[in-house]
Amino acid sequence: WKGVHIYCPNATCPKKVQANLLHWIEKMAPVDSLGENILVPFLKSIKWGSIADIYTTQNWVFPKGEFTSHAQTLIWEMNTKLYDQPVNPDKFFAAFGLPSVGETISKKISDEIGIHKYFQGEDLSAGDMAGLSRITQPAIRSLWDNFSIMKSVYKQIMNQQGFIEKEESKMEIKVAITGKLSKPRKELTEEFATHGIEVIGSITKECDYLITDDPTSGSTKNLSAKMMGVTVLSESDFRS
């Protein structure tokens, strides 16, 4: 995130609109050698006023004599990525440039909720957001405040090229781990994955088990698991 919202709270501020459009293009339609020296004049000529305008004004033409043939080639490549290729849902939320919503949060929403479920209601579901692992209150506020804007763009994309559809997860069990176990976390994660077990980062309502070196300890994860009704097991008991 480039911080455009800090110094420019006015949603129609030209500099803010330009920064948002540049950020969207950088995330959704990156093209080598297509920099601001070409994009800024292009955006001024095309007069997009928001990200939503990108998907409602596709039939634009180059102002005569304003861009070199090389610049036009780069912009047409951007055009192809914007309109002809399915959008990556992992990057969708981050591409809006919202405060506290970067690619990590964007991918979490895509993975843990799913972009279609996220936008199925008329407003943002507090229950769904509460289930996300490691999401901050500032991120939730940004997503909450901009839900209608993002849903509008989501609908436009769905009416055109759509999104890359992810394969449904084959993981049948979700576990969190803590303490000193038989193998490093990375090795356990890889081993469990071969058996349809997903290791997640924190205790959530989706977690089935907490695997720990001491089920009787007063660690934060143990206490959180017990409060949320998650079964706490030693590694040996989990494997048995």
Side-chain angles (χ1 to χ4, degrees), residues 176-178 203 207-212 221-222 225 230-233:
I177 60 177
T178 187
I203 308 296
C207 186
D208 296 299
Y209 300 97
L210 171 65
I211 303 171
T212 174
K221 278 193 174 181
N222 277 19
V230 175
T231 302
V232 181
L233 295 174

Side-chain angles (χ1 to χ4, degrees), residues 105-165:
I105 295 295
S106 188
K107 190 173 188 305
K108 279 183 180 294
I109 297 171
S110 175
D111 287 344
E112 297 180 23
I113 297 179
I115 193 163
H116 303 308
K117 183 179 179 182
Y118 184 92
F119 289 114
Q120 69 183 4
E122 292 303 315
D123 52 31
L124 186 58
S125 167
D128 282 336
M129 296 305 291
L132 284 175
S133 58
R134 297 183 181 180
I135 185 168
T136 64
Q137 285 301 314
I140 293 175
R141 172 54 59 187
S142 285
L143 293 163
W144 193 287
D145 289 344
N146 292 276
F147 179 83
S148 61
I149 295 171
M150 292 189 292
K151 185 170 183 177
S152 173
V153 177
Y154 163 81
K155 286 181 175 179
Q156 290 170 331
I157 291 172
M158 284 299 295
N159 287 335
Q160 296 177 48
Q161 71 267 47
F163 290 84
I164 297 171
E165 296 297 336

Side-chain angles (χ1 to χ4, degrees), residues 1 28 42 57 61 83 94 120 157 190:
W1 173 60
M28 291 301 194
F42 170 74
T57 55
V61 295
Y83 302 126
Q120 69 183 4
I157 291 172
E190 292 173 351

